[in-house]
């Protein structure tokens, strides 16, 4: 039996995490936050003093990443690092190590293992292009830099982190550039992906669009 997968790729702070999580919950599917794996590797490397361009050591770290995801919490070696991995500095570090092909390869099997019954919603940059090219429905979720910076600002303030709008816009633009131009699995819409611009949309509206797309894709495949 083919296990259904919905891939939701897109740039940072496009809202794909929230949308993917809600879609998964609605369908009773598992949820893969692939960015968290890059963030966990970056956090672990930072703590161990491993340079962010030391490809071999970073890949070795990623290969045996002691991570677990329990009820919305992210654990690293048993420690709850849910908030620590979301820090802006760790996002930037994750984007830096994500350009390294060996790191991406090291995280491949871990990501594929999330595909089990009854289905998966996977969010990231290369879910539809590299990890799950046979996905049932592929979505590319995007929004303007301003809308994304606004969302990230709110998220950070809510979590008690300090944030500065100007710095955020600059960080987002830099990360977009790094994620898009890298040679290994660059951020781009997968062939056949539905491009959804959420700049002017609520989360509810975006969730509905994805659920409708998936329902249609299932109908067409049966
Ligand atoms: O989605 P996020 O902001 O949590 O991801 C953090 C970084 O990890 C992002 O800047 C690029 C990288 N990433 C990636 O290269 N491929 C993925 N599938 C997910 C994230």
């Amino acid at each position: 039996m083919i296990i259904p997968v919905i891939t939701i790729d897109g740039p940072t702070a496009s809202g794909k995490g929230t949308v993917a999580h809600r879609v998964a919950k609605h369908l009773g599917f598992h949820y893969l936050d692939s960015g968290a794996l890059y963030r966990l590797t970056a956090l672990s490397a930072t703590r161990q003093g491993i340079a962010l361009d030391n490809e071999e050591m970073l890949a070795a770290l990623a290969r045996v990443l002691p991570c677990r995801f329990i009820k919305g919490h992210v654990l690293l070696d048993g420690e709850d690092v849910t908030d620590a991995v979301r820090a802006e500095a760790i996002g930037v570090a994750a984007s830096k190590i994500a350009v390294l092909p060996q790191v991406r390869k090291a995280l491949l099997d871990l990501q594929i293992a999330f595909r089990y019954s009854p289905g998966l919603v996977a969010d990231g940059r290369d879910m539809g292009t590299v990890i799950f090219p046979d996905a049932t429905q592929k979505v590319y979720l995007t929004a303007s830099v301003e809308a994304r910076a606004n969302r990230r600002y709110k998220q950070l303030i809510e979590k008690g982190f300090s944030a500065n709008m100007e710095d955020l816009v600059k960080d987002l633009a830099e990360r977009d550039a790094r994620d898009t131009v890298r040679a290994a699995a660059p951020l781009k819409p997968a062939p056949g992906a539905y491009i959804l611009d959420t700049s002017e949309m609520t989360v509810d509206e975006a969730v509905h669009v994805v659920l409708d797309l998936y329902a249609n894709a299932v109908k067409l495949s049966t």
Side-chain angles (χ1 to χ4, degrees):
M1 192 188 107
I2 295 170
I3 294 162
V5 181
I6 302 173
T7 57
I8 304 188
D9 289 304
T12 196
S14 56
K16 62 191 159 43
T18 314
V19 172
H21 193 259
R22 292 263 301 270
V23 169
K25 201 164 174 208
H26 183 94
L27 295 169
F29 282 9
H30 305 288
Y31 166 56
L32 166 61
D33 170 9
S34 63
L37 302 179
Y38 290 91
R39 286 170 180 269
L40 280 162
T41 307
L43 178 68
S44 191
T46 308
R47 286 179 170 182
Q48 294 183 41
I50 298 173
L52 298 178
D53 59 356
N54 188 336
E55 185 163 9
E56 235 163 77
M57 281 191 76
L58 289 167
L61 197 66
R63 230 170 273 129
V64 293
L65 199 62
C67 66
R68 276 188 302 152
F69 295 86
I70 301 174
K71 294 186 182 156
H73 286 258
V74 184
L75 305 187
L76 180 63
D77 228 347
E79 178 194 341
D80 190 336
V81 293
T82 315
D83 288 338
V85 286
R86 298 308 314 169
E88 205 48 26
I90 295 302
V92 172
S95 159
K96 288 186 179 160
I97 66 162
V99 305
L100 304 170
Q102 282 193 52
V103 171
R104 306 198 71 82
K105 195 162 166 252
L107 292 173
L108 191 75
D109 289 343
L110 189 56
Q111 295 174 82
I112 290 171
F114 274 81
R115 185 178 192 169
Y116 59 98
S117 191
L120 175 69
V121 182
D123 115 45
R125 303 291 186 291
D126 60 345
M127 299 295 99
T129 49
V130 177
I131 311 292
F132 303 109
D134 65 336
T136 322
Q137 177 65 52
K138 298 177 185 180
V139 178
Y140 186 83
L141 207 78
T142 187
S144 67
V145 173
E146 292 72 27
R148 292 188 283 129
N150 249 317
R151 289 174 191 168
R152 181 53 55 87
Y153 182 84
K154 281 189 198 147
Q155 269 175 6
L156 288 170
I157 297 296
E158 265 167 30
K159 292 208 165 124
F161 291 111
S162 62
N164 168 298
M165 203 53 186
E166 230 172 87
D167 289 348
L168 278 177
V169 170
K170 192 168 149 270
D171 268 8
L172 283 186
E174 277 174 18
R175 273 168 71 181
D176 281 356
R178 203 166 27 236
D179 293 350
T180 311
V181 301
R182 69 179 182 220
L187 169 65
K188 63 174 177 200
Y194 183 91
I195 297 175
L196 187 59
D197 187 327
T198 65
S199 305
E200 309 284 326
M201 258 185 193
T202 64
V203 172
D204 274 350
E205 286 167 337
V207 168
H208 271 108
V209 173
V210 177
L211 286 171
D212 281 351
L213 286 167
Y214 175 66
N216 275 331
V218 170
K219 232 185 267 164
L220 283 175
S221 68
T222 50

